[in-house]
Amino acid sequence: MIFQNTLSYARELDSKDPLRKYRKEFYFPKVKGSEVIYFTGNSLGLQPKRSQAFVDEIMKDWKEMAVEGHFHADKPWWDYHERLAAPLARVVGARPAEITVMNTLTVNLHLLMVSFYRPTRKRYKILCEEKAFPSDQYMFRSQVKYHNLDTEDTIIEIKKREGEHFWRTEDVVAKINEIGEELALVLIGGVNYYNGQVFDMKTITSAGKSVGAYVGWDLAHAVGNIELELHDWKVDFAAWCSYKYMNSGPGNASGIFINEQYLNRSDIPRFEGWWGTKKETRFLMQPEFDPMETADAWQISNAPVLALAPYLASLELFEEVGMPSLIEKRNTIVAYLEFILQEIDKEVASSFEIITPKERGTQLSVFLHGQGKPLFDYLMEQGVITDWREPNVIRLAPAPFYCSYEDMYRFGQILKSGILKK
Ligand SMILES: *Cc1c(COP(=O)(O)O)cnc(C)c1O
């Protein structure tokens, strides 16, 4: 596609965009009375307008039925979470039985490590990417200490090559083979939060499993962003949060995937609670734990229905649109943003460097050489919400659900004026 850095061209792209009507499904914050250009859907997705009604429904049922709402609400609360499994399964490429929604992301990763990280004297090492998201690093170290192992010896980080901003699949695979039978677990962020790189999950999963390790993925930046085929890739387990590209609201509930082969297996341990027991007998309050036959067996507490409501609303939107059309628009809008950056770079004779490799989703991470925090602040004042990382990287994620091509054009103009002003 031959792009042009003009308003009329951007508007033409918008007029041909099959998803353009979905922009109106979301609330945009305003700066100086105008809707912002929102690049941080990778951090907190915008609020879908329809989510309010889903929350109100629960509030109303609670007001009018109180405890009876558990069984007699239109959407009963006792198995409300089950409504999310099928639509989420379509987003992540799984079978509905492999999915459940519970707790929050780091908590779920801990719980999944209970099931899938069971170090032995010989096989105990964990492989992750260097500079993993901090919460994941804290999780790894605390798990390793919990097992009385040495963190230095146990946690192996895959490094980038000198002078490169991305990880190479061949380096990951080589590391897996090098650790071999000492490798207990591979757990990597499927899309790296910093450089936006999409890992080759299929190849890495298969390499990890071929040396006898479990392979899990933290999909915080992947879900709702890239194509996932968790079941077909034979991933062992995965977890993600729902407040980034899934637009379900701040700090909201996390989804998990557990490969079908681990369901109904008494040799896979887990931490248990009453919401994991069979629905039919749950309220008989029996001493025996009789697990659900799905990933719901990992449920512990009764479901936070008020939190699940906006997640369900958001999934309704994903059902309507489908990942393939989101991905199609994503590819074009990100390519257009990249083009705009290159054009502005030429015009202002600056030196932007896009550090996101070609294996990418919605996010571009850009080094703004010679620019500092004042540029970011200027963008904010002008109603462009980006994410700033020291020393001078901005992360730009034009979520295809609600960002427009005109946003990309306008961003370019504001960026240019910010740089020239200096
Ligand atoms: C956003 C993010 C988290 C956040 O974890 P919470 O438990 O939801 O606070 C964890 N890991 C990665 C890779 C993330 O991007």
Side-chain angles (χ1 to χ4, degrees):
M1 211 181 275
I2 316 248
F3 291 131
Q4 293 169 25
N5 184 19
T6 62
L7 180 60
S8 60
Y9 181 78
R11 286 187 172 157
E12 191 186 317
L13 285 178
D14 279 324
S15 71
K16 291 183 192 144
D17 171 13
L19 300 190
R20 71 183 175 280
K21 69 173 193 208
Y22 283 95
R23 186 179 173 89
K24 291 197 205 73
E25 289 275 351
F26 293 86
Y27 289 111
F28 282 73
K30 290 191 173 155
V31 167
K32 296 184 205 146
S34 304
E35 287 185 351
V36 299
I37 299 172
Y38 198 69
F39 280 117
T40 43
N42 56 347
S43 186
L44 182 69
L46 293 180
Q47 181 180 138
K49 290 181 181 166
R50 64 178 76 175
S51 58
Q52 182 81 50
F54 281 67
V55 176
D56 287 349
E57 181 184 11
I58 312 286
M59 294 300 281
K60 182 167 178 286
D61 290 341
W62 177 23
K63 181 163 90 185
E64 294 175 0
M65 295 187 190
V67 73
E68 290 289 286
H70 276 297
F71 297 104
H72 300 296
D74 268 351
K75 299 191 188 91
W77 306 332
W78 75 304
D79 58 2
Y80 193 98
H81 56 287
E82 292 181 17
R83 294 171 181 274
L84 286 79
L88 254 183
R90 281 185 277 276
V91 173
V92 301
R95 310 234 158 116
E98 295 173 314
I99 303 290
T100 197
V101 176
M102 58 188 205
N103 315 310
T104 44
L105 174 55
T106 311
V107 171
N108 282 342
L109 289 171
H110 274 296
L111 292 171
L112 289 164
M113 283 187 75
V114 166
S115 297
F116 297 104
Y117 179 59
R118 288 172 292 145
T120 62
R121 277 177 74 94
K122 189 163 147 206
R123 192 185 281 283
Y124 62 96
K125 290 190 175 165
I126 298 171
L127 187 67
C128 62
E129 74 276 36
E130 69 173 330
K131 300 207 177 101
F133 192 85
S135 198
D136 298 41
Q137 295 187 45
Y138 308 146
M139 172 197 62
F140 287 132
R141 280 185 236 135
S142 60
Q143 284 274 342
V144 167
K145 285 185 207 152
Y146 173 75
H147 288 287
N148 294 316
L149 294 166
D150 176 57
T151 49
E152 292 272 304
D153 176 41
T154 305
I155 304 169
I156 315 289
E157 296 185 347
I158 310 147
K159 308 269 182 231
K160 302 186 200 84
R161 293 190 188 180
E162 192 66 36
E164 291 187 347
H165 296 298
F166 61 95
W167 290 268
R168 291 173 181 249
T169 307
E170 70 249 45
D171 293 352
V172 182
V173 172
K175 202 67 180 172
I176 287 172
N177 292 328
E178 184 191 315
I179 311 171
E181 54 189 26
E182 291 187 346
L183 187 59
L185 176 67
V186 179
L187 180 48
I188 299 174
V191 175
N192 183 258
Y193 81 99
Y194 188 80
N195 71 355
Q197 175 175 1
V198 178
F199 279 84
D200 181 344
M201 288 183 247
K202 186 178 176 193
T203 303
I204 295 169
T205 300
S206 139
K209 295 181 66 128
S210 72
V211 302
Y214 283 113
V215 182
W217 293 95
D218 177 340
L219 300 177
H221 280 262
V223 67
N225 174 12
I226 62 165
E227 191 193 357
L228 294 165
E229 292 295 342
L230 300 182
H231 182 85
D232 288 349
W233 295 341
K234 302 188 169 58
V235 166
D236 290 318
F237 68 92
W240 53 90
C241 50
S242 59
Y243 46 82
K244 294 175 180 171
Y245 295 106
M246 295 303 296
N247 311 319
S248 87
N252 208 352
S254 154
I256 65 163
F257 163 88
I258 293 178
N259 193 294
E260 199 170 63
Q261 72 183 112
Y262 305 115
L263 304 177
N264 304 307
R265 287 254 304 263
S266 55
D267 58 327
I268 305 285
R270 70 185 154 236
F271 287 169
E272 294 172 342
W274 69 325
W275 237 243
T277 59
K278 286 242 167 66
K279 273 164 83 165
E280 300 74 41
T281 50
R282 189 173 300 155
F283 299 100
L284 300 179
M285 306 304 208
Q286 289 161 336
E288 276 304 302
F289 184 84
D290 184 15
M292 292 285 289
E293 289 170 358
T294 62
D296 288 332
W298 272 258
Q299 288 276 345
I300 297 180
S301 292
N302 78 94
V305 180
L306 274 171
L308 297 182
Y311 199 174
L312 189 58
S314 163
L315 282 168
E316 195 179 86
L317 283 163
F318 277 86
E319 286 281 272
E320 271 177 46
V321 172
M323 285 310 293
S325 358
L326 282 169
I327 288 169
E328 202 180 311
K329 174 167 175 193
R330 177 203 76 192
N331 288 341
T332 316
I333 200 165
V334 176
Y336 189 53
L337 173 61
E338 183 179 35
F339 165 80
I340 299 273
L341 284 164
Q342 286 159 349
E343 290 298 297
I344 303 299
D345 193 40
K346 278 185 238 156
E347 286 179 35
V348 297
S350 181
S351 54
F352 305 157
E353 184 189 353
I354 297 176
I355 59 168
T356 303
K358 65 181 189 313
E359 298 81 13
R360 70 188 184 195
T362 308
Q363 175 180 329
L364 291 181
S365 302
V366 190
F367 256 116
L368 299 171
H369 292 295
Q371 304 294 330
K373 188 89 187 324
L375 177 62
F376 167 79
D377 295 336
Y378 175 79
L379 292 175
M380 272 303 233
E381 279 162 32
Q382 300 300 313
V384 181
I385 304 192
T386 65
D387 172 279
W388 178 269
R389 300 280 134 170
E390 294 295 334
N392 49 9
V393 168
I394 52 172
R395 299 188 302 165
L396 305 168
F401 242 129
Y402 45 73
C403 289
S404 68
Y405 294 94
E406 183 173 335
D407 285 343
M408 302 306 109
Y409 169 77
R410 286 176 44 225
F411 162 67
Q413 296 305 303
I414 296 168
L415 179 67
K416 184 164 94 180
S417 66
I419 291 169
L420 293 177
K421 189 173 135 289
K422 204 177 84 170

